[in-house]
Amino acid sequence: MAMNLDELNRIARAMVEKGKGILAADESSGTIKKRFDKIGVESTEENRRDYREFLFRSKEGMKHISGVILYDETIRQKARDGTPLVKLIEEAGSIPGIKVDKGTKALPFSKDETITEGLDGLRERLVEYRGLGARFAKWRATYTPTQGRPSYTCINANAQALARYAALCQEENIVPIVEPEVLMDYDNDIDACEAVTEWVLKETFQQLYYANVAPEGMILKPNMIISGMKAEKRARVEEVADRTVKVLKHCVPAAVPGIAFLSGGQSEEEATAHLNAMNAAHLNLPWRLTFSYGRALQAAPQKAWSGKADNVPAAQRAFAHRAQMNGLATTGAWKPDLEKKAA
Ligand code: 13P
């Protein structure tokens, strides 16, 4: 298929529209099992379908969701009444997308580092996913910011894979979400996160350039610049916001329409507060700053649902609340008081 950059740019801009962000509902079968284990729900195909179906049917929640990232199983599933889940997303005014990487594998000759796999056969899979309704895709690479890691071997190998994935997507008129994630689970300080993230982003955009990826037709999904979750001292909200914007200004071309952050294990309110602080303090940025959260949008509805049909309305309310709070954070209009009112 011949690339249509206007079309790619139109979709990318719609994905980062003001007041909205992306729902990352693309947990692999292993990851969704972990989430369901926590709430005592068996991870069957039907339960996974029911859960995702009520999210996509949440009218109030979906008002703030520009796009939904799906997993291979979900993009093929139908709702209880036979409507494809993809259609529910479209009817809610949102854009369906698909996770296309095949997960992280151990990087050879490198201790505790990973390379993301999934390039073999990707061109053909993208053609199929486009036919199933996907208009954007996601590929995630991960990096550990402790004990002399990541190595350049890891940064370079993952950047090359991200770049080839992104080029294949654009050839198929699918907007690539490029997700290089510096993990937040360690005891590193914010300085380490900043240094590693800057290096990773520099290399990623260099490889995107070599692979002829058009910045106008992609979305970046990075981590925030933040202290590790196990760090003794955690940086304040304003510091996270300012340092994140600084690094992005150093690394991300102005032609990229938008940056949609991952939540990475932050609490739901923390993820909202950080995004809000960036948008409140930094006006006139070249790109839009929004969310592409998994856990920070779904922890509350999962808990409220706990696998019981009777709890669906409460779970939909919990989802709508988080989506609305994050929607406000995309314009810097969120206030902590708004959380208390809803509680
Ligand atoms: P979290 O927001 O839970 O980090 O998930 C986002 C995501 O899509 C990770 O690939």
Side-chain angles (χ1 to χ4, degrees):
M1 183 182 274
M3 179 180 92
N4 179 342
L5 189 52
D6 287 344
E7 166 80 354
L8 286 169
N9 181 251
R10 189 186 60 74
I11 296 165
R13 283 187 291 114
M15 288 163 67
V16 295
E17 189 187 325
K18 255 195 187 138
K20 294 188 180 191
I22 297 164
L23 167 64
D26 60 324
E27 298 84 1
S28 63
S29 303
T31 304
I32 196 74
K33 182 177 179 315
K34 271 192 235 156
R35 308 276 184 265
F36 278 13
D37 281 350
K38 265 196 182 166
I39 52 169
V41 175
E42 199 191 337
S43 183
T44 61
E45 189 178 342
E46 193 177 340
N47 283 341
R48 294 192 290 270
R49 190 274 312 274
D50 287 351
Y51 168 63
R52 281 154 176 159
E53 176 175 350
F54 82 65
L55 289 181
F56 308 156
R57 283 193 191 276
S58 163
K59 280 210 172 62
E60 288 306 308
M62 292 297 283
K63 275 186 196 164
H64 312 282
I65 301 298
S66 57
V68 181
I69 317 175
L70 300 167
Y71 186 58
D72 181 77
E73 173 185 272
T74 323
I75 199 169
R76 304 170 192 280
Q77 273 176 326
K78 291 190 169 68
R80 273 182 181 254
D81 68 3
T83 315
L85 293 185
V86 164
K87 190 135 185 278
L88 293 186
I89 294 167
E90 289 167 351
E91 283 171 1
S94 191
I95 307 168
I98 181 77
K99 167 199 177 79
V100 299
D101 68 69
K102 294 209 160 168
T104 55
K105 302 281 153 56
L107 184 68
F109 295 121
S110 184
K111 193 173 178 295
D112 296 335
E113 293 191 297
T114 63
I115 176 73
T116 300
E117 295 190 346
L119 287 172
D120 286 0
L122 181 56
R123 178 178 275 127
E124 292 73 25
R125 286 197 290 134
L126 288 168
V127 172
E128 188 194 6
Y129 285 140
R130 190 168 220 291
L132 290 167
R135 293 295 172 265
F136 69 90
K138 180 192 106 170
W139 178 290
R140 170 176 177 257
T142 63
Y143 315 85
T144 307
T146 57
Q147 298 179 327
R149 290 188 288 268
S151 63
Y152 180 64
T153 307
C154 171
I155 294 177
N156 175 260
N158 276 298
Q160 290 204 25
L162 279 164
R164 184 128 60 91
Y165 139 80
L168 283 163
C169 286
Q170 289 193 340
E171 248 191 16
E172 203 47 47
N173 282 318
I174 289 180
V175 172
I177 295 184
V178 172
E179 182 178 6
E181 174 175 4
V182 177
L183 297 166
M184 300 178 185
D185 315 292
Y186 300 90
D187 63 356
N188 61 283
D189 60 17
I190 189 168
D191 293 338
C193 180
E194 178 171 335
V196 169
T197 304
E198 180 148 350
W199 191 16
V200 164
L201 291 178
K202 288 276 177 205
E203 181 70 15
T204 302
F205 277 98
Q206 192 61 36
Q207 295 298 334
L208 288 166
Y209 169 72
Y210 290 147
N212 300 308
V213 173
E216 294 83 356
M218 64 164 278
I219 299 293
L220 177 70
K221 176 164 174 169
N223 53 283
M224 297 177 188
I225 307 300
I226 195 168
S227 323
M229 294 297 162
K230 295 184 187 139
E232 267 169 42
K233 205 175 131 272
R234 309 280 322 277
R236 287 175 309 110
V237 170
E238 289 72 23
E239 188 176 359
V240 170
D242 292 348
R243 288 214 199 191
T244 303
V245 170
K246 183 181 82 175
V247 167
L248 294 173
K249 280 183 175 170
H250 288 183
C251 302
V252 186
V256 171
I259 297 169
F261 294 100
L262 59 98
S263 61
Q266 301 174 64
S267 74
E268 294 156 283
E269 209 170 310
E270 227 182 350
T272 304
H274 287 145
L275 177 63
N276 186 70
M278 286 182 226
N279 281 312
H282 300 275
L283 308 173
N284 304 318
L285 295 172
W287 359 256
R288 296 226 16 88
L289 296 182
T290 186
F291 57 93
S292 176
Y293 293 162
R295 285 162 282 182
L297 276 170
Q298 295 185 70
Q302 279 167 6
K303 207 164 153 226
W305 174 54
S306 295
K308 298 196 178 64
D310 287 353
N311 292 339
V312 164
Q316 286 180 321
R317 279 197 300 279
F319 171 57
H321 174 66
R322 281 279 36 98
Q324 188 196 3
M325 294 298 104
N326 286 310
L328 289 170
T330 68
T331 61
W334 173 83
K335 303 246 171 338
D337 285 359
L338 296 169
E339 301 284 350
K340 286 188 202 97
K341 267 182 222 153

